């Protein structure tokens, strides 16, 4: 019986540690003391909705759909903005940069990023969440043929 208690105890601590982050927005208005204590930012994840990273991409115009979700709940979160950069590492030269235009998509948490892959090879796309509450940075790699 003692063993069971020992197992359950850390689990309940875990649940306590996780719950405030999930409901930060709800908690904020009702209990200001807790907000100041939990001032750390919530962690978000940026998912690539399209294109399929495994799919072969052709050189030229490219459109990506990115979705920001709360890492704890998996629910899409409406963040202030998303910075997206596209670059290609070049031998003996500075990285080649692609211009990326980001616009919010219709669905909450989603952004459309359009760029131009001007060269065949590996492109690194980095998406960074800009938001007072959520923090995330995710890198995606595309093989452009
Ligand atoms: Cu290049």
């Amino acid at each position: 019986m003692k063993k069971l208690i020992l197992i359950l105890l850390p689990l309940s601590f875990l649940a306590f540690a996780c719950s405030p982050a999930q409901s930060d927005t709800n908690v904020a208005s009702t209990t200001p003391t807790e907000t100041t204590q939990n001032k750390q930012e919530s962690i978000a994840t940026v998912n690539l909705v399209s294109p399929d990273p495994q799919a072969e991409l052709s050189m030229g115009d490219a459109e990506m759909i990115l979705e920001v979700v709360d890492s704890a709940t998996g629910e899409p979160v409406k963040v202030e903005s998303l910075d997206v950069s596209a670059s290609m590492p070049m031998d003996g030269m500075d990285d080649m940069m692609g211009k990326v235009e980001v616009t919010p998509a219709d669905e909450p948490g989603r952004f459309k990023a359009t760029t131009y892959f001007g060269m065949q090879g590996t492109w690194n796309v980095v998406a960074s969440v800009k938001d007072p509450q959520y923090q995330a940075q995710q890198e995606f790699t595309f093989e452009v043929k």
Side-chain angles (χ1 to χ4, degrees):
M1 195 61 200
K2 230 177 191 171
K3 247 181 199 160
L4 189 70
I5 293 167
L6 283 177
I7 292 164
L8 286 174
L9 208 64
L11 279 179
S12 58
F13 271 122
L14 202 69
F16 271 121
C18 291
S19 47
Q22 285 175 16
S23 52
D24 239 11
T25 39
N26 304 330
V27 170
S29 51
T30 48
T31 48
T33 39
E34 211 174 335
T35 332
T36 40
Q37 270 175 4
N38 295 327
K39 228 183 165 181
Q40 86 266 25
E41 281 135 330
S42 303
I43 307 296
T45 308
V46 185
N47 293 325
L48 182 68
V49 178
S50 69
D52 184 348
Q54 314 287 50
E56 275 189 13
L57 292 178
S58 308
M59 219 174 87
D61 289 318
E63 187 185 295
M64 292 164 273
I65 302 290
L66 299 152
E67 184 183 54
V68 183
V69 298
D70 186 303
S71 299
T73 63
E75 292 295 313
V77 278
K78 212 169 174 247
V79 292
E80 217 163 76
S81 67
L82 192 72
D83 271 5
V84 183
S85 74
S87 65
M88 176 195 246
M90 303 284 286
D91 274 344
M93 275 189 272
D94 287 342
D95 286 2
M96 194 170 149
M97 300 299 292
K99 194 172 175 266
V100 187
E101 243 169 69
V102 184
T103 48
D106 294 335
E107 294 93 337
R110 289 198 178 188
F111 292 87
K112 185 173 92 173
T114 53
T115 189
Y116 182 82
F117 293 131
M119 199 176 166
Q120 293 178 348
T122 305
W123 283 84
N124 299 321
V125 171
V126 179
S128 315
V129 168
K130 299 279 174 244
D131 191 83
Q133 198 195 335
Y134 283 95
Q135 259 197 342
Q137 191 175 70
Q138 206 86 31
E139 186 174 318
F140 306 99
T141 302
F142 296 98
E143 285 302 323
V144 176
K145 307 276 175 188

